[in-house]
Amino acid sequence: MIQKTPIAVLISGRGSNMRALIEACERPDFPARIVLVLSNKPDAAGLEVARAAGLQTAAIDHKAFGKDREAHERKVDAAIRASGAQLVCLAGYMRVLTPYLVNAWDGRMLNIHPSLLPAFPGLHTHEAAIAAGATEHGCTVHLVTAGVDEGPILGQARVPVLKTDTPDALAARVLEQEHALYPSVLQNYIDRQ
């Protein structure tokens, strides 16, 4: 029987990358199990997906904390620790983290970003890739550090940028790659620990 590392998945929306991680974790040979899905948005559609999969969920609304981002993160951190998670996977968690949470999970927090970092950090990556005339685009899984989308790269997947691409068309092809890349990188990361 394979030892499964307990992980927490943080989401803000529909949770499509979370769904890919759920499917991977259901495989007997996959070295992780999800012990918590947490969102900063109580109405995030992904929470219902997680509940339907029988997973423990939590919603800690960042709006209740006003501008005190660290106070919000202290609650998030407490929930993650209470779940027993040893790794955190950000999967469309749309919050810029403070040093508090980044340092608390240093080397144990992964993120997926829809570009070939270091190109196009932050938001609107597909629009940026098209506007820049990029011939290829893709996604990156990296460790989370204090700089936004600057952590060590653990894996990337590439797609060509077509002359006919709209941001939505490009995003759809990149998302397909994200769903394959994130579980693969997570498995490799755990196996190397």
Side-chain angles (χ1 to χ4, degrees):
M1 190 73 174
I2 189 168
Q3 181 73 28
K4 288 188 171 255
T5 300
I7 65 170
V9 181
L10 274 54
I11 63 169
S12 292
R14 68 182 191 259
S16 73
N17 274 303
M18 172 204 67
R19 195 178 316 225
L21 291 173
I22 289 171
E23 289 171 9
C25 288
E26 288 172 346
R27 295 196 327 251
D29 63 334
F30 194 79
R33 62 187 171 89
I34 298 171
V35 294
L36 176 66
V37 173
L38 184 146
S39 180
N40 62 305
K41 295 185 174 183
D43 61 349
L47 289 173
E48 196 48 51
V49 172
R51 286 186 203 108
L55 298 173
Q56 178 184 337
T57 63
I60 303 174
D61 192 343
H62 65 275
K63 291 178 183 170
F65 296 85
K67 294 192 184 308
D68 192 347
R69 289 170 47 227
E70 185 175 315
H72 175 252
E73 289 181 4
R74 287 184 181 278
K75 292 283 190 193
V76 169
D77 182 54
I80 295 169
R81 291 182 188 281
S83 76
Q86 294 174 9
L87 284 175
V88 176
C89 291
L90 305 181
Y93 190 66
M94 303 306 287
R95 302 279 297 160
V96 174
L97 302 179
T98 72
Y100 172 77
L101 198 61
V102 171
N103 292 336
W105 291 90
D106 183 40
R108 297 180 298 147
M109 184 181 289
L110 285 68
N111 183 46
I112 188 151
H113 180 76
S115 82
L116 295 172
L117 292 173
F120 314 120
L123 301 174
H124 310 295
T125 63
H126 311 302
E127 292 90 335
I130 291 170
T135 57
E136 69 175 2
H137 190 45
C139 52
T140 303
V141 176
H142 64 95
L143 286 175
V144 176
T145 58
V148 175
D149 300 325
E150 290 179 0
I153 292 171
L154 301 175
Q156 293 184 313
R158 299 170 185 275
V159 299
V161 178
L162 308 175
K163 293 193 186 321
T164 56
D165 265 334
T166 63
D168 287 346
L170 183 55
R173 287 202 319 283
V174 170
L175 192 60
E176 217 173 276
Q177 293 302 312
E178 288 178 40
H179 294 166
L181 181 68
Y182 210 169
S184 170
V185 170
L186 176 61
Q187 180 167 5
N188 290 340
Y189 189 72
I190 291 171
D191 288 347
R192 286 199 313 265
Q193 299 300 303

